[in-house]
Amino acid sequence: MSETLNGPTDKTTDDAARPAEAAARKAVYVKSYGCQMNVYDSQRMADVMGAEGYREVASPEEADLILLNTCHIREKAAEKVYSELGRMRVIKDAARADGRQVLIGVAGCVAQAEGEEIVRRARTVDLVVGPQSYHRLPDLVARAAARPGVVDTEFPVEDKFRHLPDAAEAATRARGLSAFVTVQEGCDKFCTFCVVPYTRGAEVSRPVAQVLDDVEKLARAGVREVSLLGQNVNAYHGEGPDGLDWDLPRLLRRLVEVPGIARLRYTTSHPREMTDALIAAHRDLPELMPYLHLPVQSGSTRVLAAMNRKHSREDYFRIIDRVRAARPDIALSSDFIVGFPGETDADFEDTMDLIRRVGFAAAYSFKYSPRPGTPAAGEEDQLPETLKTERLHALQALITEQQRAFQDSLVGRVMDVLFEKPGRKPGQMVGRSPYLSPVQVIAPSSVAGTIVSVRITGTQTNSLNGVLADAPHMNAVQAAE
């Protein structure tokens, strides 16, 4: 994320003054951990502080404000934050020795869960802010500068979505041809392993008009692909311009009408919210990419019940069958937790069987680790770490095998690629397939920002190789450049 410089490039301007002007502006460094929602939130915080005159920098040593945007999903998340704070303290102390004040803030889900405990354990922290309060960040920073130890982890009644940064301004901050737009936050599902309902609050959806305004501004700024974000994005129910609640399928059908938007995605979904209308949207909207992230967590109905997922393995199979019938070219990814309390060998085999039967293009997998305050953390039948590690390795080996098989299945196919930037080799351009894979092609630079048909010729570990499907036409374009 880079700084956008405003104003004309007048040669009579004193260029020597520009570095001094930039140096006089305060700088913010944001480090993001965890999910895509956290990455989006980090952009929000950078944009909010940018509106206050802060320039974003790429290293904490340059910053006047350091923000660690934390995630509570991974194992020992809080301990990792405290370890990182130790490194940030060294930077803060060095700045103080030079007569410069550096503020350190902890944001995100660990901030929400730990609250004042962070300030108590790490005196170097000046500010703790939960995900509900990012729009108040400038005021909180000002308070922390005057009196360190500010903590704001309340769940405000006000509509926090009204305070999101302007989408057009955000789009100019080097976001590229793709952008994320939050449409829903929070979770009402209360899975027994998960802290999100406690750190993000209840499910709240943005009004359709706000989402539409953001997407239209992004399109005018050159964005071609938009990903809709939410903890349970397919539970979206935002107020529509007609005064009625619109669900996600209706929102998607409206967004494909925005001029310039060629691709739509959404994440993360819950199986309980895969409605007939949403499945029909996958069938009817070519702009909705054929890639669905649908976390299942376990293949055992018994474990799913203990997780409070409110769906069975057979429910998941039925959903997948319906989705594939509607969109035969769709690829699937999922989330898996191994070693949940009480998980038996038979339960784990059910998970492996589900993976074999469904076939995934990718997946995220984790060992279960207790989260303080969640019901599963108090269960007595916790599994030993060695067994959890063994199961995780077996599951990941199977997923890796399926991922390679999926990549190999794309060889020979022709697919539309959104070209984004030059590649590492001379004459090479890199784009994004409908399945999110980077695609490397020898092509003229004029393809940047366009969607072009590409024939896939080979695979690498995490990317694809291809050639332009309409090579004579593209050669003519290149000759005209």
Side-chain angles (χ1 to χ4, degrees):
M1 293 178 281
S2 61
E3 178 188 0
T4 299
L5 300 177
N6 298 315
T9 55
D10 188 347
K11 292 300 181 182
T12 64
T13 300
D14 182 8
D15 290 340
R18 291 178 185 255
E21 178 184 347
R25 293 175 60 195
K26 288 190 174 182
V28 58
Y29 168 79
V30 187
K31 182 171 183 177
S32 185
Y33 304 79
C35 67
Q36 188 59 58
M37 180 65 82
N38 261 26
V39 175
Y40 175 81
D41 283 346
S42 292
Q43 294 173 355
R44 285 169 57 189
M45 287 188 280
D47 289 337
V48 165
M49 296 311 299
E52 299 295 316
Y54 280 72
R55 59 192 175 93
E56 190 175 359
V57 292
S59 69
E61 289 82 4
E62 303 174 68
D64 302 283
L65 172 63
I66 298 171
L67 296 171
L68 304 181
N69 189 15
T70 61
C71 175
H72 215 307
I73 299 300
R74 294 297 181 96
E75 185 179 7
K76 298 180 180 178
E79 286 81 354
K80 293 177 181 178
V81 171
Y82 290 117
S83 176
E84 184 72 6
L85 286 172
R87 290 188 284 272
M88 296 300 108
R89 182 182 62 192
V90 174
I91 296 172
K92 183 174 183 175
D93 290 345
R96 184 185 295 114
D98 291 337
R100 185 167 62 91
Q101 182 187 38
V102 172
L103 300 180
I104 296 178
V106 178
C109 291
V110 172
Q112 187 70 42
E114 298 279 317
E116 294 186 0
E117 177 69 8
I118 294 175
V119 175
R120 188 188 68 80
R121 285 185 57 181
R123 297 294 184 181
T124 191
V125 173
D126 303 287
L127 169 65
V128 177
V129 55
Q132 314 302 319
S133 303
Y134 295 152
H135 58 281
R136 295 202 290 264
L137 192 56
D139 176 63
L140 297 173
V141 169
R143 287 166 52 194
R147 187 175 181 180
V150 173
V151 177
D152 188 335
T153 54
E154 298 297 319
F155 287 97
V157 176
E158 63 192 286
D159 178 8
K160 62 181 177 291
F161 291 128
R162 292 179 183 174
H163 305 277
L164 293 175
D166 181 83
E169 179 182 347
T172 63
R173 291 171 55 84
R175 302 287 193 254
L177 298 171
S178 301
F180 295 95
V181 174
T182 187
V183 300
Q184 180 270 342
E185 284 195 23
C187 182
D188 295 340
K189 301 299 188 286
F190 287 93
C191 297
T192 59
F193 57 83
C194 187
V195 297
V196 168
Y198 311 103
T199 59
R200 291 280 182 169
E203 290 177 2
V204 181
S205 296
R206 292 182 73 190
V208 172
Q210 288 185 21
V211 177
L212 183 60
D213 183 58
D214 268 10
V215 173
E216 288 175 341
K217 288 177 178 177
L218 289 166
R220 289 196 293 270
V223 168
R224 304 296 312 280
E225 177 178 288
V226 169
S227 296
L228 306 182
L229 291 181
Q231 268 81 37
N232 284 286
V233 67
N234 57 344
Y236 174 85
H237 283 89
E239 181 183 0
D242 54 5
L244 302 176
D245 276 356
W246 285 31
D247 58 11
L248 183 64
R250 190 172 181 185
L251 177 65
L252 290 167
R253 291 177 185 275
R254 176 63 184 87
L255 294 180
V256 299
E257 299 174 0
V258 176
I261 298 301
R263 289 179 163 187
L264 288 175
R265 304 181 189 273
Y266 63 88
T267 192
T268 289
S269 309
H270 195 288
R272 286 172 55 193
E273 308 292 348
M274 285 303 299
T275 63
D276 291 342
L278 184 53
I279 293 172
H282 280 277
R283 178 194 65 207
D284 299 338
L285 303 179
E287 298 88 351
L288 184 55
M289 291 295 94
Y291 189 89
L292 175 62
H293 183 66
L294 190 62
V296 63
Q297 306 300 355
S298 174
S300 163
T301 294
R302 192 189 69 81
V303 172
L304 289 169
M307 291 178 166
N308 195 36
R309 292 288 291 172
K310 295 186 171 66
H311 65 82
S312 67
R313 65 185 269 116
E314 294 302 328
D315 293 333
Y316 194 81
F317 287 139
R318 282 190 288 269
I319 291 168
I320 298 305
D321 287 345
R322 289 161 54 211
V323 169
R324 282 180 164 155
R327 189 71 182 262
D329 63 338
I330 202 160
L332 300 164
S333 65
S334 195
D335 293 346
F336 294 93
I337 294 173
V338 302
F340 189 79
E343 182 187 71
T344 65
D345 289 343
D347 293 326
F348 178 66
E349 179 52 37
D350 279 347
T351 297
M352 298 290 277
D353 176 70
L354 181 142
I355 294 171
R356 295 186 192 99
R357 288 176 58 179
V358 172
F360 292 96
Y364 300 96
S365 53
F366 312 91
K367 291 188 295 183
Y368 171 77
S369 59
R371 295 291 177 265
T374 59
E379 295 292 334
E380 295 181 356
D381 46 358
Q382 304 287 333
L383 272 62
E385 286 298 316
T386 53
L387 180 58
K388 289 191 286 187
T389 299
E390 178 184 323
R391 289 177 178 174
L392 181 65
H393 288 167
L395 184 145
Q396 289 179 337
L398 178 57
I399 290 293
T400 298
E401 178 184 319
Q402 291 193 345
Q403 185 176 7
R404 289 172 180 162
F406 174 73
Q407 294 278 88
D408 290 343
S409 75
L410 300 179
V411 176
R413 285 181 54 180
V414 174
M415 62 181 64
D416 289 340
V417 172
L418 173 60
F419 281 97
E420 299 172 322
K421 59 185 179 181
R424 295 181 178 179
K425 298 179 180 179
Q428 186 183 72
M429 296 294 291
V430 178
R432 190 74 59 177
S433 80
Y435 304 111
L436 287 174
S437 306
V439 183
Q440 302 165 63
V441 180
I442 299 299
S445 59
S446 58
V447 301
T450 67
I451 296 175
V452 180
S453 293
V454 169
R455 184 179 303 280
I456 304 302
T457 57
T459 69
Q460 298 185 45
T461 303
N462 295 305
S463 63
L464 303 169
N465 297 325
V467 296
L468 298 175
D470 189 7
H473 167 72
M474 295 310 301
N475 287 337
V477 171
Q478 189 172 22
E481 287 186 333

